[in-house]
Amino acid sequence: MTNFLAYDDVTDLNALIQEGLNAKQNPFADQALGHNKTIGLIFFNSSLRTRMSTQKAAQNLGMNVIMMNVGQDSWGLEMEEGTVMNGDKAEHVKEAAAVVGKYCDIVAVRAFAGLKDREQDYREVVMNQFKKYAGVPIINLESATRHPLQSLADCITIEEFKVRKRPKIVLTWLPHFKPLPQAVANSFCEWINHTDAEFVVTHPEGYDLAPEFVGNARVSYNQNEAFEGADFIYGKNWSSYQHYGQVLTQDPSWMVTMDKMRLTDNGKFMHCLPVRRNMKVTDEVLDSPQSLVIEQAANREWSAQAVLKGVLQSL
Ligand code: SN0
């Protein structure tokens, strides 16, 4: 694996899931692989799990880790080519990515969607500019349209907890007052569409995700109907794709409650975190044995380790 930006960079999903499970069993088996190798973790946005799990995974593999919060610790970075840089961005990504690539063997980048300009977000400007100029492998730590390390952790978690070969998996929209990116939901669709599952996406009208991510998943505007017989309920809020970046409704009836979980077949609740309690999902659900959110977050370490191992092997 030379880059990890999207599902397309994966050659064998089942093998990658197995790598993650192997790392969980034996975290230090590949300590020599990363010896004297350095990863740079570049953050344009906040992070808890991604930052800590990627650092931990790199250390498990014997790597050195350098972190940078762009715009707080470093200069603001200009992404567009050919601009007159007379604004607040003091450095161009052409130099910044090239320089970071001189210090690091792998560069990992988090840059959320701006949610103002759909065309610009879906062009994946930041990831593509780093890929173009860093000269070393790039790992996506959540970009404008995707969060593949999260999706791999989700696949590992589903593999661990599924009770039938072809589980019913439901991605449900949850209410939120802020416009959030579509990245986690997009990626979840992209990855689950490559697994053997009955996959349903449910959300209010106006919240349809980009068709290239939804693929052949069944879409339902009726959450109760979607939940029936589900093995996994994956909750996430996202802002509208059609009315780009807008909050069209905060309808509290979309919050996941115990009554709704009872429609499932003893289904498990999943969420990438951070989650706002009693707005997106009730305390009762999150604190119940049906909630997998902590196991899911723990698996971020093994998802990152499986990917870093694959990239280190390509160096
Ligand atoms: C991010 C998102 O993409 O939705 C990161 C998820 C891993 N989530 C948020 O920004 C939540 C912010 C909030 O105020 O609830």
Side-chain angles (χ1 to χ4, degrees):
M1 191 164 7
T2 44
N3 289 291
F4 184 73
L5 297 178
Y7 183 84
D8 278 354
D9 294 312
V10 176
T11 42
D12 182 341
L13 176 56
N14 287 327
L16 196 59
I17 292 171
Q18 203 49 57
E19 267 308 337
L21 292 169
N22 292 347
K24 189 170 187 167
Q25 288 305 312
N26 199 353
F28 308 115
D30 297 300
Q31 273 263 311
L33 195 60
H35 184 61
N36 287 342
K37 295 278 190 275
T38 298
I39 185 169
L41 306 183
I42 312 291
F43 287 92
F44 289 79
N45 309 95
S46 308
S47 173
L48 189 158
R49 281 147 291 278
T50 299
R51 186 179 295 247
M52 294 187 72
S53 64
T54 311
Q55 175 165 14
K56 184 84 186 308
Q59 288 168 344
N60 292 345
L61 290 163
M63 301 185 79
N64 302 314
V65 182
I66 303 176
M67 296 211 198
M68 171 71 77
N69 299 316
V70 177
Q72 293 171 39
D73 304 343
S74 75
W75 308 104
L77 295 186
E78 177 60 49
M79 292 293 157
E80 296 296 335
E81 310 269 338
T83 50
V84 178
M85 288 173 58
N86 59 0
D88 57 350
K89 310 274 171 58
E91 180 154 21
H92 202 282
V93 68
K94 266 191 184 185
E95 284 80 38
V99 169
V100 171
K102 292 293 178 204
Y103 305 143
C104 302
D105 302 280
I106 301 173
V107 176
V109 181
R110 162 164 285 194
F112 289 176
L115 296 176
K116 301 262 180 302
D117 179 341
R118 182 168 97 177
E119 197 266 332
Q120 166 149 339
D121 284 346
Y122 276 69
R123 270 197 297 135
E124 287 287 9
V125 178
V126 179
M127 282 307 133
N128 285 326
Q129 291 291 62
F130 269 90
K131 187 176 166 187
K132 190 165 166 191
Y133 294 116
V136 296
I138 302 296
I139 291 179
N140 182 343
L141 300 176
E142 186 174 337
S143 66
T145 68
R146 291 175 170 92
H147 194 0
L149 284 174
Q150 179 66 53
S151 306
L152 176 56
D154 300 337
C155 289
I156 292 171
T157 309
I158 288 170
E159 185 60 32
E160 286 180 310
F161 285 92
K162 71 182 185 189
V163 292
R164 67 188 108 236
K165 194 173 167 299
R166 189 168 183 274
K168 179 173 178 183
I169 303 173
V170 179
L171 168 63
T172 181
W173 181 91
L174 306 175
H176 200 312
F177 58 89
K178 269 171 57 180
L180 297 191
Q182 294 115 29
V184 171
N186 283 346
S187 260
F188 189 70
C189 292
E190 187 168 53
W191 286 63
I192 295 302
N193 276 327
H194 285 90
T195 70
D196 190 15
E198 178 188 347
F199 185 37
V200 183
V201 183
T202 183
H203 51 73
E205 289 188 48
Y207 280 95
D208 292 81
L209 293 163
E212 65 265 31
F213 288 102
V214 177
N216 292 329
R218 184 165 76 79
V219 175
S220 172
Y221 299 141
N222 181 338
Q223 193 189 40
N224 284 352
E225 175 272 319
F227 273 39
E228 275 166 28
D231 295 291
F232 295 94
I233 299 297
Y234 193 100
K236 183 70 187 84
N237 168 270
W238 61 88
S239 59
S240 176
Y241 173 75
Q242 288 143 290
H243 306 279
Y244 194 63
Q246 289 183 33
V247 175
L248 307 177
T249 176
Q250 299 177 38
D251 184 355
S253 75
W254 281 80
M255 179 168 69
V256 174
T257 61
M258 232 5 152
D259 276 344
K260 289 187 192 164
M261 291 304 291
R262 280 190 267 274
L263 298 169
T264 70
D265 187 2
N266 197 26
K268 301 288 190 192
F269 178 79
M270 298 177 71
H271 190 286
C272 64
L273 305 181
V275 71
R276 290 171 180 261
R277 285 172 170 259
N278 304 313
M279 200 181 76
K280 292 166 142 182
V281 50
T282 60
D283 283 335
E284 205 188 356
V285 172
L286 278 173
D287 298 333
S288 78
Q290 277 170 273
S291 171
L292 294 184
V293 298
I294 304 302
E295 287 84 348
Q296 193 184 347
N299 282 335
R300 291 295 309 275
E301 182 175 349
W302 317 118
S303 130
Q305 193 161 332
V307 168
L308 284 178
K309 181 178 171 182
V311 175
L312 282 169
Q313 283 168 330
S314 79
L315 292 180

